[in-house]
Amino acid sequence: MLRTNQIAVLVGLSLALWILATLYIRFLPDAFVDPFQGNLGFAASVPMAWLSVWLVRRAGRLEAAELVPGVAIVGAVAMMIDGAALRWSPGVYGDDPLAVRLGAAWLLWGYGLSLGLAYLMVARSLRHA
């Protein structure tokens, strides 16, 4: 079980990552609308998800058994913020509805990748233990 201080750090990290992703969507809409850039962005999400999981582990000072719950907390907080923002204030992501929709797809992809990679990292560490 994660300690209160770990959860607080992870919630803060979640907010910071949400802000960065939102700014990326807002100020670089072509990265989502352009077919080549959009595909490249999805591919580039794999190392970025790995980096995010690593950052969650370091910032939260998580043991291997705490990694998936820690990534789940970061993802859950960011997804709830995204859900509320997309419902009540989609303009925070930009003015182009297509860019906002494709940016939301990219966010979902990234959340899934991060959680999946965290699981694979833990499974791998358990196999080598």
Side-chain angles (χ1 to χ4, degrees):
M1 194 57 122
L2 297 179
R3 295 180 305 279
T4 303
N5 63 325
Q6 289 175 302
I7 293 170
V9 166
L10 294 176
V11 168
L13 179 60
S14 181
L15 182 58
L17 292 172
W18 177 83
I19 290 169
L20 287 173
T22 300
L23 291 173
Y24 181 59
I25 295 167
R26 179 170 187 78
F27 293 114
L28 295 168
D30 286 344
F32 302 96
V33 175
D34 178 78
F36 177 74
Q37 289 184 51
N39 291 337
L40 186 62
F42 265 67
S45 295
V46 176
M48 292 305 295
W50 183 90
L51 181 62
S52 295
V53 172
W54 176 85
L55 184 59
V56 166
R57 186 169 194 173
R58 297 286 295 194
R61 296 183 175 157
L62 305 176
E63 301 294 329
E66 299 170 321
L67 186 59
V68 172
V71 170
I73 287 170
V74 171
V77 170
M79 283 186 273
M80 287 187 291
I81 297 169
D82 280 324
L86 285 164
R87 171 63 180 98
W88 290 293
S89 189
V92 73
Y93 299 97
D95 299 323
D96 181 355
L98 179 60
V100 172
R101 181 175 59 82
L102 295 174
W106 173 74
L107 290 169
L108 291 170
W109 171 254
Y111 294 135
L113 271 176
S114 296
L115 195 54
L117 285 172
Y119 175 82
L120 291 174
M121 288 176 183
V122 171
R124 182 173 178 230
S125 72
L126 292 175
R127 278 197 311 268
H128 292 99

